[in-house]
Short mmCIF file of all heavy atoms in Angstrom, two decimals:
data_model
loop_
_atom_site.label_atom_id
_atom_site.label_comp_id
_atom_site.label_asym_id
_atom_site.label_seq_id
_atom_site.Cartn_x
_atom_site.Cartn_y
_atom_site.Cartn_z
N MET I 1 0.79 -1.21 -0.03
CA MET I 1 -0.04 -0.07 0.01
C MET I 1 0.95 1.21 -0.08
O MET I 1 1.76 1.33 0.75
CB MET I 1 -0.88 0.08 1.19
CG MET I 1 -1.77 1.19 1.32
SD MET I 1 -2.85 1.28 2.77
CE MET I 1 -3.15 -0.39 3.27
N ASP I 2 0.62 2.14 -0.93
CA ASP I 2 1.43 3.32 -0.96
C ASP I 2 0.82 4.51 -0.20
O ASP I 2 -0.36 4.38 0.27
CB ASP I 2 1.82 3.70 -2.47
CG ASP I 2 0.59 4.07 -3.23
OD1 ASP I 2 -0.53 4.39 -2.60
OD2 ASP I 2 0.68 4.06 -4.45
N GLU I 3 1.45 5.62 -0.09
CA GLU I 3 0.95 6.78 0.67
C GLU I 3 -0.18 7.31 0.06
O GLU I 3 -1.00 8.12 0.80
CB GLU I 3 2.18 7.78 0.76
CG GLU I 3 3.36 7.28 1.61
CD GLU I 3 2.96 7.05 3.05
OE1 GLU I 3 2.23 7.82 3.61
OE2 GLU I 3 3.50 6.10 3.67
N THR I 4 -0.44 7.19 -1.23
CA THR I 4 -1.63 7.91 -1.88
C THR I 4 -2.95 7.25 -1.60
O THR I 4 -3.94 7.87 -1.67
CB THR I 4 -1.35 8.05 -3.32
OG1 THR I 4 -1.23 6.71 -3.87
CG2 THR I 4 -0.16 8.98 -3.70
N THR I 5 -2.97 5.96 -1.30
CA THR I 5 -4.21 5.18 -1.02
C THR I 5 -4.66 5.23 0.37
O THR I 5 -5.86 5.13 0.67
CB THR I 5 -4.06 3.75 -1.46
OG1 THR I 5 -2.99 3.16 -0.65
CG2 THR I 5 -3.83 3.60 -2.97
N ARG I 6 -3.82 5.58 1.34
CA ARG I 6 -4.20 5.60 2.79
C ARG I 6 -5.31 6.69 3.03
O ARG I 6 -6.27 6.34 3.76
CB ARG I 6 -3.03 5.85 3.65
CG ARG I 6 -2.13 4.63 3.63
CD ARG I 6 -1.11 4.66 4.75
NE ARG I 6 -0.34 3.49 4.80
CZ ARG I 6 0.98 3.42 4.80
NH1 ARG I 6 1.68 4.54 4.79
NH2 ARG I 6 1.64 2.28 4.83
N PRO I 7 -5.18 7.86 2.61
CA PRO I 7 -6.26 8.82 2.87
C PRO I 7 -7.67 8.41 2.42
O PRO I 7 -8.61 8.53 3.07
CB PRO I 7 -5.83 10.15 2.29
CG PRO I 7 -4.32 10.03 2.19
CD PRO I 7 -4.08 8.57 1.94
N SER I 8 -7.70 7.89 1.21
CA SER I 8 -8.94 7.49 0.60
C SER I 8 -9.53 6.20 1.37
O SER I 8 -10.78 6.11 1.53
CB SER I 8 -8.85 7.11 -0.91
OG SER I 8 -7.97 6.05 -1.09
N GLU I 9 -8.69 5.40 1.78
CA GLU I 9 -9.14 4.23 2.70
C GLU I 9 -9.69 4.62 3.98
O GLU I 9 -10.69 4.16 4.44
CB GLU I 9 -8.02 3.23 2.83
CG GLU I 9 -7.74 2.49 1.52
CD GLU I 9 -6.63 1.42 1.68
OE1 GLU I 9 -6.16 1.18 2.87
OE2 GLU I 9 -6.22 0.84 0.73
N ALA I 10 -9.04 5.67 4.64
CA ALA I 10 -9.50 6.20 5.82
C ALA I 10 -10.90 6.90 5.61
O ALA I 10 -11.81 6.71 6.43
CB ALA I 10 -8.51 7.28 6.43
N LEU I 11 -11.02 7.61 4.58
CA LEU I 11 -12.33 8.29 4.37
C LEU I 11 -13.34 7.25 4.07
O LEU I 11 -14.53 7.30 4.56
CB LEU I 11 -12.19 9.20 3.14
CG LEU I 11 -13.51 9.95 2.65
CD1 LEU I 11 -14.02 10.80 3.83
CD2 LEU I 11 -13.26 10.73 1.41
N ASN I 12 -13.13 6.16 3.28
CA ASN I 12 -14.07 5.13 3.06
C ASN I 12 -14.47 4.42 4.29
O ASN I 12 -15.65 4.08 4.45
CB ASN I 12 -13.39 4.09 2.06
CG ASN I 12 -14.34 3.18 1.43
OD1 ASN I 12 -15.55 3.47 1.40
ND2 ASN I 12 -13.92 1.97 1.07
N THR I 13 -13.56 4.13 5.17
CA THR I 13 -13.81 3.57 6.45
C THR I 13 -14.81 4.40 7.25
O THR I 13 -15.78 3.92 7.87
CB THR I 13 -12.54 3.22 7.24
OG1 THR I 13 -11.74 2.35 6.51
CG2 THR I 13 -12.89 2.57 8.58
N PHE I 14 -14.49 5.72 7.33
CA PHE I 14 -15.32 6.61 8.11
C PHE I 14 -16.76 6.68 7.50
O PHE I 14 -17.71 6.57 8.20
CB PHE I 14 -14.73 8.03 8.00
CG PHE I 14 -15.53 9.06 8.56
CD1 PHE I 14 -15.61 9.22 10.01
CD2 PHE I 14 -16.30 9.96 7.78
CE1 PHE I 14 -16.39 10.26 10.50
CE2 PHE I 14 -17.13 10.91 8.31
CZ PHE I 14 -17.14 11.12 9.73
N LEU I 15 -16.86 6.81 6.14
CA LEU I 15 -18.16 6.88 5.56
C LEU I 15 -18.98 5.63 5.72
O LEU I 15 -20.15 5.62 5.88
CB LEU I 15 -18.03 7.28 4.12
CG LEU I 15 -17.52 8.70 3.87
CD1 LEU I 15 -17.28 8.90 2.36
CD2 LEU I 15 -18.44 9.69 4.42
N ASN I 16 -18.36 4.48 5.64
CA ASN I 16 -18.98 3.21 5.83
C ASN I 16 -19.47 2.95 7.24
O ASN I 16 -20.38 2.23 7.49
CB ASN I 16 -18.03 2.02 5.38
CG ASN I 16 -17.93 1.89 3.96
OD1 ASN I 16 -18.81 2.33 3.17
ND2 ASN I 16 -16.82 1.32 3.48
N ALA I 17 -18.91 3.58 8.25
CA ALA I 17 -19.25 3.49 9.59
C ALA I 17 -20.47 4.38 9.92
O ALA I 17 -21.18 4.09 10.97
CB ALA I 17 -18.13 3.81 10.55
N LEU I 18 -20.81 5.39 9.20
CA LEU I 18 -21.78 6.34 9.51
C LEU I 18 -23.19 5.72 9.66
O LEU I 18 -23.95 6.10 10.63
CB LEU I 18 -21.90 7.52 8.44
CG LEU I 18 -20.77 8.57 8.62
CD1 LEU I 18 -20.95 9.64 7.54
CD2 LEU I 18 -20.87 9.26 9.95
N PRO I 19 -23.75 4.83 8.77
CA PRO I 19 -25.03 4.31 9.03
C PRO I 19 -25.18 3.57 10.36
O PRO I 19 -26.18 3.69 11.02
CB PRO I 19 -25.22 3.41 7.87
CG PRO I 19 -24.32 3.87 6.81
CD PRO I 19 -23.12 4.50 7.54
N GLY I 20 -24.15 2.81 10.70
CA GLY I 20 -24.21 2.12 11.99
C GLY I 20 -24.29 3.03 13.17
O GLY I 20 -24.96 2.83 14.12
N VAL I 21 -23.38 4.13 13.11
CA VAL I 21 -23.41 5.08 14.20
C VAL I 21 -24.69 5.82 14.26
O VAL I 21 -25.20 6.11 15.42
CB VAL I 21 -22.21 6.11 13.98
CG1 VAL I 21 -22.29 7.26 14.96
CG2 VAL I 21 -20.94 5.35 14.08
N ASN I 22 -25.34 6.17 13.07
CA ASN I 22 -26.57 6.82 13.17
C ASN I 22 -27.65 5.98 13.75
O ASN I 22 -28.47 6.43 14.52
CB ASN I 22 -26.99 7.25 11.63
CG ASN I 22 -28.24 7.95 11.59
OD1 ASN I 22 -28.49 8.82 12.40
ND2 ASN I 22 -29.14 7.54 10.75
N THR I 23 -27.69 4.70 13.42
CA THR I 23 -28.68 3.72 13.96
C THR I 23 -28.44 3.60 15.38
O THR I 23 -29.50 3.59 16.16
CB THR I 23 -28.57 2.34 13.25
OG1 THR I 23 -28.78 2.54 11.84
CG2 THR I 23 -29.61 1.44 13.79
N TRP I 24 -27.32 3.47 15.92
CA TRP I 24 -26.98 3.46 17.32
C TRP I 24 -27.47 4.58 18.00
O TRP I 24 -28.16 4.54 19.06
CB TRP I 24 -25.47 3.19 17.60
CG TRP I 24 -25.12 3.22 19.01
CD1 TRP I 24 -25.19 2.15 19.89
CD2 TRP I 24 -24.69 4.31 19.82
NE1 TRP I 24 -24.79 2.51 21.15
CE2 TRP I 24 -24.46 3.90 21.08
CE3 TRP I 24 -24.46 5.67 19.48
CZ2 TRP I 24 -24.06 4.71 22.10
CZ3 TRP I 24 -23.92 6.44 20.51
CH2 TRP I 24 -23.74 5.99 21.78
N ALA I 25 -27.22 5.90 17.52
CA ALA I 25 -27.56 7.07 18.20
C ALA I 25 -29.13 7.23 18.23
O ALA I 25 -29.68 7.70 19.13
CB ALA I 25 -26.97 8.23 17.46
N MET I 26 -29.74 6.90 17.09
CA MET I 26 -31.24 6.91 16.98
C MET I 26 -31.88 6.01 18.04
O MET I 26 -32.73 6.38 18.80
CB MET I 26 -31.69 6.52 15.57
CG MET I 26 -33.10 7.06 15.26
SD MET I 26 -33.37 6.95 13.50
CE MET I 26 -33.07 5.24 13.15
N ARG I 27 -31.33 4.77 18.29
CA ARG I 27 -31.92 3.84 19.26
C ARG I 27 -31.69 4.41 20.65
O ARG I 27 -32.48 4.28 21.54
CB ARG I 27 -31.28 2.49 19.04
CG ARG I 27 -31.74 1.47 20.18
CD ARG I 27 -31.29 0.10 19.84
NE ARG I 27 -31.86 -0.90 20.78
CZ ARG I 27 -31.22 -1.19 21.92
NH1 ARG I 27 -30.02 -0.79 22.21
NH2 ARG I 27 -31.83 -2.06 22.76
N LYS I 28 -30.51 4.98 20.86
CA LYS I 28 -30.12 5.54 22.18
C LYS I 28 -31.19 6.67 22.52
O LYS I 28 -31.58 6.74 23.61
CB LYS I 28 -28.74 6.08 22.18
CG LYS I 28 -28.27 6.65 23.50
CD LYS I 28 -26.88 7.20 23.39
CE LYS I 28 -26.50 7.85 24.78
NZ LYS I 28 -25.40 8.78 24.60
N GLY I 29 -31.39 7.52 21.54
CA GLY I 29 -32.43 8.62 21.82
C GLY I 29 -33.82 8.09 22.07
O GLY I 29 -34.51 8.61 22.88
N TYR I 30 -34.21 7.08 21.32
CA TYR I 30 -35.49 6.43 21.58
C TYR I 30 -35.57 5.86 23.01
O TYR I 30 -36.50 6.07 23.75
CB TYR I 30 -35.76 5.27 20.60
CG TYR I 30 -36.10 5.72 19.21
CD1 TYR I 30 -35.96 4.79 18.21
CD2 TYR I 30 -36.70 6.97 18.90
CE1 TYR I 30 -36.24 5.23 16.83
CE2 TYR I 30 -36.93 7.28 17.61
CZ TYR I 30 -36.74 6.43 16.64
OH TYR I 30 -37.08 6.78 15.32
N LEU I 31 -34.58 5.22 23.45
CA LEU I 31 -34.48 4.61 24.75
C LEU I 31 -34.49 5.69 25.89
O LEU I 31 -35.30 5.58 26.88
CB LEU I 31 -33.28 3.73 24.89
CG LEU I 31 -33.26 2.42 24.14
CD1 LEU I 31 -31.90 1.67 24.27
CD2 LEU I 31 -34.39 1.46 24.48
N GLU I 32 -33.80 6.81 25.68
CA GLU I 32 -33.79 7.85 26.59
C GLU I 32 -35.22 8.60 26.65
O GLU I 32 -35.57 9.15 27.64
CB GLU I 32 -32.75 8.90 26.20
CG GLU I 32 -31.28 8.37 26.39
CD GLU I 32 -30.25 9.39 25.93
OE1 GLU I 32 -30.56 10.44 25.42
OE2 GLU I 32 -29.04 9.00 26.18
N ALA I 33 -36.00 8.54 25.54
CA ALA I 33 -37.30 9.14 25.48
C ALA I 33 -38.29 8.19 26.06
O ALA I 33 -39.54 8.51 26.13
CB ALA I 33 -37.67 9.51 24.18
N GLY I 34 -37.90 6.98 26.45
CA GLY I 34 -38.81 6.02 27.01
C GLY I 34 -39.44 5.09 26.02
O GLY I 34 -40.44 4.39 26.34
N ILE I 35 -38.96 5.06 24.81
CA ILE I 35 -39.47 4.21 23.75
C ILE I 35 -38.60 3.01 23.71
O ILE I 35 -37.40 3.04 23.36
CB ILE I 35 -39.41 4.95 22.36
CG1 ILE I 35 -40.21 6.24 22.53
CG2 ILE I 35 -39.97 4.06 21.31
CD1 ILE I 35 -40.06 7.15 21.28
N ARG I 36 -39.20 1.88 24.03
CA ARG I 36 -38.40 0.58 24.02
C ARG I 36 -38.41 -0.06 22.75
O ARG I 36 -39.09 0.29 21.74
CB ARG I 36 -39.02 -0.30 25.07
CG ARG I 36 -39.02 0.18 26.52
CD ARG I 36 -39.71 -0.80 27.45
NE ARG I 36 -40.94 -1.32 26.83
CZ ARG I 36 -42.06 -1.35 27.42
NH1 ARG I 36 -42.23 -0.93 28.67
NH2 ARG I 36 -43.14 -1.92 26.84
N ASP I 37 -37.54 -1.13 22.59
CA ASP I 37 -37.52 -1.85 21.26
C ASP I 37 -38.96 -2.43 21.03
O ASP I 37 -39.64 -2.88 21.96
CB ASP I 37 -36.55 -3.03 21.47
CG ASP I 37 -35.08 -2.55 21.40
OD1 ASP I 37 -34.85 -1.39 20.98
OD2 ASP I 37 -34.24 -3.36 21.83
N ASN I 38 -39.40 -2.43 19.82
CA ASN I 38 -40.62 -2.91 19.36
C ASN I 38 -41.78 -2.10 19.72
O ASN I 38 -42.97 -2.53 19.53
CB ASN I 38 -40.84 -4.44 19.72
CG ASN I 38 -39.71 -5.33 19.18
OD1 ASN I 38 -39.41 -5.16 18.01
ND2 ASN I 38 -39.25 -6.16 19.96
N ASP I 39 -41.60 -0.94 20.34
CA ASP I 39 -42.72 -0.02 20.60
C ASP I 39 -43.12 0.72 19.32
O ASP I 39 -42.26 0.90 18.45
CB ASP I 39 -42.36 1.05 21.64
CG ASP I 39 -42.42 0.52 23.00
OD1 ASP I 39 -42.91 -0.61 23.21
OD2 ASP I 39 -42.02 1.26 23.93
N VAL I 40 -44.40 1.04 19.21
CA VAL I 40 -44.78 1.81 18.03
C VAL I 40 -45.17 3.24 18.50
O VAL I 40 -45.92 3.39 19.45
CB VAL I 40 -46.07 1.20 17.37
CG1 VAL I 40 -46.52 2.08 16.20
CG2 VAL I 40 -45.65 -0.18 16.88
N VAL I 41 -44.55 4.27 17.82
CA VAL I 41 -44.85 5.66 18.24
C VAL I 41 -45.72 6.28 17.14
O VAL I 41 -45.37 6.24 16.04
CB VAL I 41 -43.61 6.46 18.42
CG1 VAL I 41 -43.84 7.86 18.81
CG2 VAL I 41 -42.74 5.79 19.48
N VAL I 42 -46.81 6.86 17.56
CA VAL I 42 -47.76 7.54 16.58
C VAL I 42 -47.94 8.92 17.08
O VAL I 42 -48.34 9.18 18.23
CB VAL I 42 -49.04 6.78 16.50
CG1 VAL I 42 -50.02 7.51 15.55
CG2 VAL I 42 -48.86 5.42 16.10
N TRP I 43 -47.66 10.00 16.24
CA TRP I 43 -47.99 11.24 16.54
C TRP I 43 -49.42 11.59 16.19
O TRP I 43 -49.94 11.09 15.18
CB TRP I 43 -47.11 12.26 15.76
CG TRP I 43 -45.72 12.52 16.42
CD1 TRP I 43 -45.41 13.50 17.25
CD2 TRP I 43 -44.59 11.63 16.29
NE1 TRP I 43 -44.13 13.36 17.53
CE2 TRP I 43 -43.59 12.16 17.01
CE3 TRP I 43 -44.38 10.45 15.53
CZ2 TRP I 43 -42.32 11.62 17.15
CZ3 TRP I 43 -43.14 9.91 15.74
CH2 TRP I 43 -42.06 10.41 16.48
N SER I 44 -50.06 12.44 16.99
CA SER I 44 -51.51 12.74 16.70
C SER I 44 -51.70 13.60 15.45
O SER I 44 -52.83 13.68 14.98
CB SER I 44 -52.10 13.40 17.94
OG SER I 44 -51.46 14.57 18.26
N GLY I 45 -50.72 14.32 15.09
CA GLY I 45 -50.80 15.17 13.89
C GLY I 45 -49.54 15.15 13.13
O GLY I 45 -48.54 14.47 13.42
N MET I 46 -49.43 15.91 12.14
CA MET I 46 -48.35 16.02 11.25
C MET I 46 -47.22 16.85 12.01
O MET I 46 -47.55 17.66 12.89
CB MET I 46 -48.61 16.68 9.92
CG MET I 46 -49.59 15.87 9.10
SD MET I 46 -48.98 14.20 8.65
CE MET I 46 -48.40 14.45 7.13
N LEU I 47 -46.02 16.75 11.64
CA LEU I 47 -44.83 17.47 12.16
C LEU I 47 -45.01 18.92 11.88
O LEU I 47 -45.50 19.33 10.81
CB LEU I 47 -43.59 16.93 11.76
CG LEU I 47 -43.34 15.39 11.94
CD1 LEU I 47 -41.95 15.03 11.46
CD2 LEU I 47 -43.37 15.05 13.46
N ASP I 48 -44.52 19.76 12.75
CA ASP I 48 -44.42 21.22 12.45
C ASP I 48 -42.97 21.74 12.76
O ASP I 48 -42.13 20.91 13.12
CB ASP I 48 -45.49 22.02 13.27
CG ASP I 48 -45.33 21.89 14.75
OD1 ASP I 48 -44.26 21.41 15.19
OD2 ASP I 48 -46.32 22.18 15.43
N SER I 49 -42.74 23.01 12.74
CA SER I 49 -41.40 23.61 13.05
C SER I 49 -40.89 23.36 14.42
O SER I 49 -39.74 23.46 14.69
CB SER I 49 -41.47 25.05 12.67
OG SER I 49 -42.38 25.68 13.53
N ARG I 50 -41.80 23.00 15.33
CA ARG I 50 -41.29 22.79 16.71
C ARG I 50 -40.76 21.36 16.93
O ARG I 50 -40.20 21.13 17.92
CB ARG I 50 -42.47 23.08 17.72
CG ARG I 50 -42.92 24.49 17.72
CD ARG I 50 -44.12 24.67 18.61
NE ARG I 50 -45.17 23.95 17.83
CZ ARG I 50 -46.33 23.65 18.41
NH1 ARG I 50 -46.62 23.98 19.57
NH2 ARG I 50 -47.28 23.06 17.66
N THR I 51 -41.11 20.44 16.04
CA THR I 51 -40.71 19.01 16.11
C THR I 51 -39.17 18.92 15.89
O THR I 51 -38.68 19.38 14.96
CB THR I 51 -41.51 18.18 15.15
OG1 THR I 51 -42.90 18.50 15.35
CG2 THR I 51 -41.15 16.82 15.44
N ILE I 52 -38.47 18.25 16.74
CA ILE I 52 -37.04 18.08 16.59
C ILE I 52 -36.74 16.62 16.23
O ILE I 52 -36.73 15.76 17.18
CB ILE I 52 -36.19 18.50 17.83
CG1 ILE I 52 -36.56 19.90 18.22
CG2 ILE I 52 -34.78 18.24 17.63
CD1 ILE I 52 -35.97 20.36 19.54
N LEU I 53 -36.75 16.35 14.94
CA LEU I 53 -36.43 14.96 14.48
C LEU I 53 -35.53 15.09 13.28
O LEU I 53 -35.67 16.00 12.48
CB LEU I 53 -37.69 14.23 13.89
CG LEU I 53 -38.64 13.80 15.02
CD1 LEU I 53 -39.92 13.13 14.32
CD2 LEU I 53 -37.99 12.70 15.86
N LEU I 54 -34.53 14.26 13.24
CA LEU I 54 -33.63 14.35 12.05
C LEU I 54 -34.38 13.68 10.86
O LEU I 54 -34.81 12.63 10.83
CB LEU I 54 -32.39 13.38 12.36
CG LEU I 54 -31.33 13.31 11.27
CD1 LEU I 54 -30.71 14.76 11.01
CD2 LEU I 54 -30.24 12.33 11.69
N GLY I 55 -34.50 14.56 9.86
CA GLY I 55 -35.12 14.08 8.59
C GLY I 55 -36.65 14.03 8.71
O GLY I 55 -37.34 13.42 7.93
N GLY I 56 -37.28 14.67 9.75
CA GLY I 56 -38.67 14.74 9.75
C GLY I 56 -39.35 15.44 8.72
O GLY I 56 -38.86 16.51 8.29
N SER I 57 -40.44 14.93 8.06
CA SER I 57 -41.12 15.64 7.07
C SER I 57 -42.49 15.98 7.50
O SER I 57 -43.23 15.25 8.21
CB SER I 57 -41.25 14.66 5.83
OG SER I 57 -42.03 15.17 4.83
N SER I 58 -42.95 17.18 7.17
CA SER I 58 -44.28 17.63 7.57
C SER I 58 -45.34 17.27 6.69
O SER I 58 -46.57 17.49 6.95
CB SER I 58 -44.15 19.23 7.54
OG SER I 58 -43.95 19.71 6.34
N ASP I 59 -45.09 16.45 5.55
CA ASP I 59 -46.16 16.20 4.74
C ASP I 59 -46.22 14.68 4.27
O ASP I 59 -46.91 14.32 3.43
CB ASP I 59 -46.18 17.06 3.39
CG ASP I 59 -44.91 16.89 2.59
OD1 ASP I 59 -44.00 16.29 3.15
OD2 ASP I 59 -44.83 17.33 1.51
N SER I 60 -45.45 13.89 4.98
CA SER I 60 -45.40 12.47 4.66
C SER I 60 -45.21 11.64 5.99
O SER I 60 -44.61 12.18 7.00
CB SER I 60 -44.37 12.14 3.62
OG SER I 60 -43.15 12.39 4.06
N LEU I 61 -45.55 10.41 5.95
CA LEU I 61 -45.36 9.54 7.08
C LEU I 61 -44.16 8.71 6.80
O LEU I 61 -43.79 8.35 5.66
CB LEU I 61 -46.52 8.63 7.31
CG LEU I 61 -47.87 9.31 7.53
CD1 LEU I 61 -49.01 8.30 7.65
CD2 LEU I 61 -47.85 10.13 8.84
N SER I 62 -43.36 8.34 7.92
CA SER I 62 -42.22 7.52 7.71
C SER I 62 -42.07 6.66 8.94
O SER I 62 -42.66 6.83 9.96
CB SER I 62 -40.99 8.40 7.41
OG SER I 62 -40.77 9.20 8.67
N THR I 63 -41.18 5.69 8.85
CA THR I 63 -40.86 4.78 9.92
C THR I 63 -39.43 4.55 10.13
O THR I 63 -38.59 4.85 9.19
CB THR I 63 -41.53 3.40 9.74
OG1 THR I 63 -40.91 2.75 8.57
CG2 THR I 63 -43.00 3.49 9.51
N SER I 64 -39.03 4.17 11.26
CA SER I 64 -37.66 3.74 11.41
C SER I 64 -37.71 2.50 12.35
O SER I 64 -38.41 2.45 13.23
CB SER I 64 -36.81 4.81 12.12
OG SER I 64 -37.31 5.06 13.42
N ARG I 65 -36.93 1.58 11.95
CA ARG I 65 -36.96 0.30 12.82
C ARG I 65 -35.47 -0.25 12.86
O ARG I 65 -34.64 0.05 11.90
CB ARG I 65 -37.84 -0.73 12.32
CG ARG I 65 -37.34 -1.52 11.11
CD ARG I 65 -38.37 -2.64 10.84
NE ARG I 65 -37.86 -3.40 9.65
CZ ARG I 65 -37.04 -4.40 9.76
NH1 ARG I 65 -36.63 -4.83 10.93
NH2 ARG I 65 -36.58 -4.99 8.61
N ARG I 66 -35.17 -0.90 13.87
CA ARG I 66 -33.93 -1.50 14.09
C ARG I 66 -33.89 -2.94 13.42
O ARG I 66 -34.91 -3.71 13.65
CB ARG I 66 -33.57 -1.64 15.52
CG ARG I 66 -32.25 -2.06 15.88
CD ARG I 66 -31.99 -2.04 17.37
NE ARG I 66 -32.83 -3.01 18.06
CZ ARG I 66 -32.44 -3.96 18.90
NH1 ARG I 66 -31.20 -3.98 19.15
NH2 ARG I 66 -33.21 -4.80 19.41
N PRO I 67 -32.88 -3.15 12.61
CA PRO I 67 -32.86 -4.50 12.01
C PRO I 67 -32.73 -5.64 13.04
O PRO I 67 -32.14 -5.42 14.07
CB PRO I 67 -31.60 -4.39 11.24
CG PRO I 67 -31.16 -3.04 11.02
CD PRO I 67 -31.79 -2.30 12.18
N ARG I 68 -33.45 -6.70 12.78
CA ARG I 68 -33.35 -7.79 13.72
C ARG I 68 -31.99 -8.49 13.63
O ARG I 68 -31.34 -8.54 12.59
CB ARG I 68 -34.36 -8.85 13.37
CG ARG I 68 -35.74 -8.32 13.57
CD ARG I 68 -36.74 -9.42 13.22
NE ARG I 68 -38.05 -8.82 13.35
CZ ARG I 68 -39.15 -9.48 13.83
NH1 ARG I 68 -39.00 -10.74 14.18
NH2 ARG I 68 -40.24 -8.87 13.88
N THR I 69 -31.45 -8.90 14.77
CA THR I 69 -30.14 -9.45 14.77
C THR I 69 -30.21 -10.97 15.17
O THR I 69 -31.17 -11.47 15.63
CB THR I 69 -29.18 -8.81 15.80
OG1 THR I 69 -29.90 -8.88 17.08
CG2 THR I 69 -28.92 -7.38 15.37
#
């Protein structure tokens, strides 16, 4: 391995780890909010500007779930 490939491999490793870190952080946030594994959360209305969710949409429904291991 030469010196020119090391930075790109480091970046590739970092970018490949992001989805796993995001899923871990999302689950941690759910647990801290009192939402356990396999719970279903339903909002009574659509999201607005006061809602703090990563990627929340005000005009569509979405889900997130932890993959089964």
